[in-house]
Amino acid sequence: MSWDVRFTPIVLSERCETLRGEVRDFLTQQRKAGIIPEVPTRVGMDYSADFSRSLGERGWLGWRWPKAYGGHEGTALERYVITEELLAAGAPVRAHWVADRQSGPVLLTFGSEAQKQNYLPRVAAGECFFCIGLSEPDSGSDLASLRCRAEKIDGGFRITGTKLWTSNAHRAHYMLALFRTAPATPENRRSGLSQFIVDLSTPGIEVRPVLNLAGEHDFNEVHFDGVEIPDDSLVGTLHMGWRQASAELAYERSGPERWLSTYHLLARLVETLGPDVSEDIRTQIGELLVDLVTLRQMSLSVAGMLEAGQEPTVQAAVVKEIGTRFEQRIPRVAHQLLSARSDYDDQDNTVRDLLEHAILWSPAFTIRGGTTEILRGIIARGLGLR
């Protein structure tokens, strides 16, 4: 039995704090220009291709990547600081998010030299956006049951099937997707899967909107009707996509977005309630703040592991599982505390708008990056309990 799943405390360097100041100065300028709101009224990330390009111009995308691929050879902790400040400010980072966070690192690790040269400099410049092709109509968290096929043909592959819940597919240039290239075996359901880069402008691809509870178009259903892609679309080794996708999900699950999605609501809640509150309210707010600080330290620790070249799959799953419950608890506590006040109807629209948006969005926090049940299975295996 193994219980050695550690989170080593991280102390940020002086360079990290200097970089933090540079990012904050830039964000202050963006607020003055009206590009970022003074006080966000929505949870999650907004989309702006222009803003992503402005980050690319400053060198804040592809931060850790080799200079040969448009990167800046910075550290994982420096990138963490950049990301943390952008999210805390409510910056519109949706356009480049997936490409910078996970698609790029996957290509760095498993991609061919031609793929690295082709895609990574454009991602680092904020000009090339990716989406994630994992879930399917009958294969949500159980990715081993994927049925969307990539059949080998002369010169490439023919794709048939459907991906679902594909965030931003209607605006991304490419999808990094996991397809079935051979039947699974009874001994290993995870076999026979491969990763591909799919140009979403390829004929035969239909992107259908799936509106969320807030009436917004973020999710999509992407249908592939005999779509032909070239041989060089394959990422890594044929039939070895499960390991690659697992590494990709570690990048997705461990970042500060796992505890900052509803941060604005918490900050506005504290401001609205003010200092003159009951002991019970102080306790509830204090518990949320303690969890916030703890999650940040755990997430920083995962960034430190990535910097050391480790694959913190279990630690990332822990951060995601705890972070999801934290993000969903904030709107519940906010609703309870605000609705109990006699002056709730007189409160400013900002906190009410944030609360309403968070309530509508919070169910999605459980889905993205893996459901709670799947994550707990990963954690249990990592602890030697399964």
Side-chain angles (χ1 to χ4, degrees), residues 177-196:
L178 190 65
F179 297 127
R180 183 156 294 287
T181 47
T185 65
E187 298 79 16
N188 185 5
R189 294 176 62 243
R190 302 168 183 172
S191 63
L193 296 169
S194 305
Q195 263 191 327
F196 295 87

Side-chain angles (χ1 to χ4, degrees), residues 357-369:
H357 198 247
I359 290 172
L360 292 173
W361 258 99
S362 59
F365 299 157
T366 303
I367 300 170
R368 63 186 188 185

Side-chain angles (χ1 to χ4, degrees), residues 67-361:
K67 293 180 180 180
Y69 305 129
H72 305 279
E73 299 182 3
T75 70
L77 294 173
E78 289 167 353
R79 182 189 179 278
Y80 190 99
V81 166
I82 296 170
T83 303
E84 183 177 44
E85 289 300 320
L86 292 173
L87 292 176
V93 297
R94 167 68 76 179
H96 69 265
W97 192 255
V98 166
D100 182 59
R101 178 184 66 184
Q102 61 198 92
S103 304
V106 167
L107 292 179
L108 273 173
T109 304
F110 302 104
S112 67
E113 183 61 27
Q115 288 170 339
K116 295 173 186 177
Q117 294 285 356
N118 182 21
Y119 299 105
L120 296 182
R122 291 188 286 150
V123 170
E127 298 174 350
C128 177
F129 310 140
F130 275 74
C131 63
I132 306 165
L134 292 176
S135 296
E136 297 180 6
D138 297 317
S139 300
S141 295
D142 183 15
L143 293 179
S145 66
L146 292 181
R147 296 188 298 179
C148 196
R149 303 190 316 276
E151 176 189 4
K152 188 70 183 76
I153 60 175
D154 288 342
F157 296 83
R158 180 182 294 113
I159 306 170
T160 305
T162 301
K163 293 292 180 181
L164 186 60
W165 310 120
T166 313
S167 298
N168 217 34
H170 58 303
R171 294 182 289 203
H173 302 110
Y174 301 96
M175 174 189 289
L176 184 59
L178 190 65
F179 297 127
R180 183 156 294 287
T181 47
T185 65
E187 298 79 16
N188 185 5
R189 294 176 62 243
R190 302 168 183 172
S191 63
L193 296 169
S194 305
Q195 263 191 327
F196 295 87
I197 299 171
V198 181
D199 184 337
L200 292 174
S201 66
T202 306
I205 298 177
E206 181 182 2
V207 179
R208 305 165 181 167
V210 178
L211 300 185
N212 61 28
L213 287 176
E216 300 165 347
H217 180 193
D218 179 71
F219 298 129
N220 296 275
E221 179 181 86
V222 184
H223 185 66
F224 301 92
D225 185 10
V227 175
E228 296 187 3
I229 58 175
D231 275 325
D232 60 9
S233 299
L234 175 67
V235 178
T237 305
L238 191 66
H239 309 321
M240 295 298 291
W242 182 268
R243 177 174 177 268
Q244 298 173 202
S246 296
E248 177 184 0
L249 285 169
Y251 294 117
E252 179 180 356
R253 290 170 174 159
S254 60
E257 67 271 25
R258 294 308 171 216
W259 51 271
L260 279 174
S261 292
T262 50
Y263 165 78
H264 303 294
L265 175 58
L266 177 57
R268 196 66 177 176
L269 173 66
V270 172
E271 179 180 312
T272 301
L273 293 174
D276 187 19
V277 295
S278 68
E279 188 65 28
D280 177 64
I281 292 176
R282 288 178 184 272
T283 298
Q284 292 189 64
I285 296 297
E287 289 174 350
L288 289 174
L289 294 177
V290 167
D291 287 350
L292 177 71
V293 172
T294 303
L295 274 166
R296 181 175 184 267
Q297 289 297 322
M298 294 171 70
S299 184
L300 269 172
S301 179
V302 174
M305 296 176 205
L306 292 173
E307 178 63 29
Q310 302 171 21
E311 292 188 8
T313 303
V314 177
Q315 288 89 343
V318 171
V319 172
K320 169 62 172 67
E321 198 277 340
I322 298 175
T324 292
R325 288 189 283 118
F326 170 74
E327 289 186 314
Q328 292 180 324
R329 193 166 77 255
I330 288 176
R332 288 199 301 269
V333 172
H335 180 265
Q336 174 190 341
L337 298 183
L338 291 172
S339 60
R341 291 174 60 117
S342 60
D343 62 345
Y344 178 68
D345 290 337
D346 298 328
Q347 292 167 13
D348 69 90
N349 291 333
T350 301
V351 70
R352 286 190 292 174
D353 289 346
L354 273 168
L355 176 57
E356 291 172 4
H357 198 247
I359 290 172
L360 292 173
W361 258 99

